[in-house]
Amino acid sequence: MKRFTLSALSVVLTLGAIAPTAQALPQGDPDFKLQTLRLEELDTRNKSAAKSTFKLQTLRLEELDARNKSAAKSTFKLQTLRLEELDARNKSENSDYPYGQTPAQTSAPTSWTESAPTTSAEQVAPV
């Protein structure tokens, strides 16, 4: 009981000391709507974030397009150079032979008798 009385007395004294201080605080405007201000601030943040995200995505896509275009051009140039090199090799190889024929074309037999073996099966040693 003694503790209860002391606790109640300390609460009453504390409230008495705080009450004048609480009344001295400026009163809030009843028309002030904190929730509305917070929502408006959140809306403006989201709109600016959406704009910056859109700008960032646009920049990334433009950079990717530029890379792809330059890569396609360099691949095209490389393929063109390879084809030109191959053409140059083929022309230089063909220039050694008459009328631009390849070795396979010049050494081909003109008739079937030229391609026949000089020895027959009977001339080969019997088994």
Side-chain angles (χ1 to χ4, degrees):
M1 182 75 171
K2 194 178 192 185
R3 285 186 184 173
F4 177 75
T5 309
L6 287 174
S7 296
L9 183 62
S10 63
V11 168
V12 169
L13 289 175
T14 305
L15 288 175
I18 294 176
T21 308
Q23 289 175 356
L25 291 175
Q27 297 295 319
D29 185 13
D31 295 333
F32 181 71
K33 305 210 176 180
L34 184 60
Q35 188 65 25
T36 305
L37 286 176
R38 287 180 179 169
L39 287 174
E40 289 173 0
E41 179 65 25
L42 185 61
D43 286 343
T44 55
R45 281 189 206 166
N46 287 341
K47 287 178 184 176
S48 65
K51 286 179 184 176
S52 64
T53 303
F54 178 74
K55 288 178 184 175
L56 182 61
Q57 288 173 345
T58 304
L59 288 174
R60 286 179 178 167
L61 287 174
E62 289 172 357
E63 178 65 25
L64 184 61
D65 286 344
R67 280 191 217 158
N68 287 341
K69 287 178 183 175
S70 66
K73 286 180 184 178
S74 64
T75 302
F76 177 74
K77 289 178 183 176
L78 183 60
Q79 288 173 344
T80 305
L81 289 174
R82 286 180 178 166
L83 287 174
E84 289 173 357
E85 179 64 26
L86 184 60
D87 287 344
R89 275 194 237 150
N90 288 340
K91 288 178 183 176
S92 68
E93 288 176 3
N94 291 342
S95 66
D96 297 338
Y97 301 101
Y99 308 110
Q101 294 178 336
T102 62
Q105 292 171 333
T106 57
S107 64
T110 56
S111 67
W112 65 275
T113 56
E114 287 182 20
S115 64
T118 56
T119 59
S120 65
E122 292 84 23
Q123 293 175 348
V124 179
V127 182

